Amino acid sequence: MAKKVLIVYAHQSSGSFDAAAKDAVVDILTAQGCTVEVSDLYAMAFKAAATADVVKGNLKSAENFCYLDESKLSWEQGNLSDEITKEQSKLAEADLVIFQFPMYWFGVPGILKGWFDRVLTNGFDFSQDEPYCLETFKDKKAMLSLTTGCRTAMFCIDGDMSVTLWPLQNGILHYCGFQVLPPEVFWAPALAAAKDRKKMLESWRTRLQDLLKEEPLSFTPLDWFDKETFQLKPEHISEEFGLSVGIHLSNPLPSQS
């Protein structure tokens, strides 16, 4: 069965390396029979601020507006704004979601952060009662594909990329129930020679050939944590499991960190 792929793309320029990386996804996965859709956030003029206009109808509490509560209620009542419901429909249909963006200040551009804030609404994309366990996305895969502004050697001063991406991969994607594929990190393409940028894209295109067959990252199982204290149970403290950014459990930090 043909897969559906959603690319959430956050770069202003069609001539950027991020655009080339996005285009490679479209080319390769379309050739494999996938249906690929792109949410080009800048082209869409996607609004980043989480405000009351997410609700079509009346607010539950206009004087003490809480986006978390109001968006959940609006989703339940079918009153979310068209901009949000359209993105949620894309998510609901997608088998794979790829986020393509340049890293800004060790995180995502504001427009993409706004997409996470506004589209991932309580009830639809995540459940506070069932964190990491929402059935809606359990069979869906998601991944980060990003460009950095500094080379690998320079980034070692700043720490470990696994730690930097932890809030995104665990705190957002895994929390919402996605199967999270390993990220694709393009190190400082703007500082690289043309031949090296070409190699980066060739490597990405090669990976894309079998991307849908890749195994997701593993995360520490929720039942390893105490339900009252949210701390790892004593019998699991010394065990290694998946991404050990908790943060690194008992494992040593990378030698270059």
Side-chain angles (χ1 to χ4, degrees):
M1 184 178 295
K3 300 292 186 180
K4 292 187 176 181
V5 179
L6 171 64
I7 306 172
V8 182
Y9 169 66
H11 199 289
Q12 307 93 325
S13 174
S14 60
S16 65
F17 189 93
D18 282 271
K22 176 259 298 177
D23 292 342
V25 177
V26 175
D27 292 343
I28 299 297
L29 296 188
T30 299
Q32 293 180 3
C34 296
T35 299
V36 183
E37 186 169 13
V38 179
S39 283
D40 186 337
L41 301 186
Y42 285 102
M44 293 160 55
F46 188 84
K47 181 181 176 182
T51 57
D53 60 4
V54 69
V55 181
K56 283 184 177 180
N58 296 323
L59 294 173
K60 177 182 177 181
S61 177
E63 293 183 1
N64 186 24
F65 176 77
C66 173
Y67 190 87
L68 180 72
D69 296 337
E70 296 286 359
S71 60
K72 182 177 189 294
L73 181 61
S74 295
W75 170 72
E76 293 172 343
Q77 297 177 343
N79 289 330
L80 283 174
S81 69
D82 294 339
E83 183 181 36
I84 302 304
T85 55
K86 184 176 181 179
E87 293 305 296
Q88 290 185 342
S89 294
K90 295 176 186 177
L91 274 179
E93 295 177 359
D95 298 294
L96 168 66
V97 184
I98 298 176
F99 297 92
Q100 181 65 56
F101 61 94
M103 178 172 280
Y104 284 3
W105 291 108
F106 303 96
V108 299
I111 198 167
L112 179 53
K113 179 58 167 63
W115 188 95
F116 285 131
D117 290 347
R118 299 181 67 218
V119 176
L120 304 184
T121 58
N122 189 9
F124 171 69
D125 302 88
F126 68 93
S127 169
Q128 291 177 303
D129 298 324
E130 299 179 88
Y132 307 100
C133 302
L134 197 65
E135 293 291 307
T136 309
F137 295 152
K138 70 173 185 176
D139 296 323
K140 299 178 183 294
K141 294 181 178 180
M143 70 171 293
L144 307 175
S145 176
L146 62 134
T147 56
T148 71
C150 67
R151 299 183 176 92
T152 312
M154 178 64 184
F155 200 87
C156 290
I157 296 176
D158 304 312
D160 176 7
M161 182 60 85
S162 293
V163 177
T164 301
L165 297 181
W166 182 254
L168 298 172
Q169 296 191 131
N170 179 74
I172 297 179
L173 301 181
H174 177 45
Y175 187 88
C176 288
F178 284 104
Q179 298 179 40
V180 185
L181 296 180
E184 183 73 19
V185 182
F186 300 103
W187 293 99
L191 302 178
K195 63 177 182 179
D196 293 324
R197 289 195 297 272
K198 183 178 179 180
K199 288 180 181 178
M200 291 182 196
L201 283 175
E202 289 175 349
S203 177
W204 177 224
R205 294 178 72 90
T206 298
R207 182 185 177 187
L208 286 168
Q209 296 291 343
D210 295 310
L211 186 66
L212 294 171
K213 300 176 184 178
E214 286 189 9
E215 290 296 317
L217 298 169
S218 56
F219 294 84
T220 307
L222 193 61
D223 60 9
W224 281 21
F225 295 88
D226 184 276
K227 293 183 179 180
E228 299 297 327
T229 66
F230 299 104
Q231 300 298 306
L232 274 173
K233 296 176 182 177
E235 62 267 29
H236 297 305
I237 289 178
S238 62
E239 296 185 53
E240 295 182 11
F241 191 96
L243 292 180
S244 56
V245 190
I247 295 187
H248 281 288
L249 297 181
S250 60
N251 299 333
L253 288 168
S255 60
Q256 76 273 21
S257 176

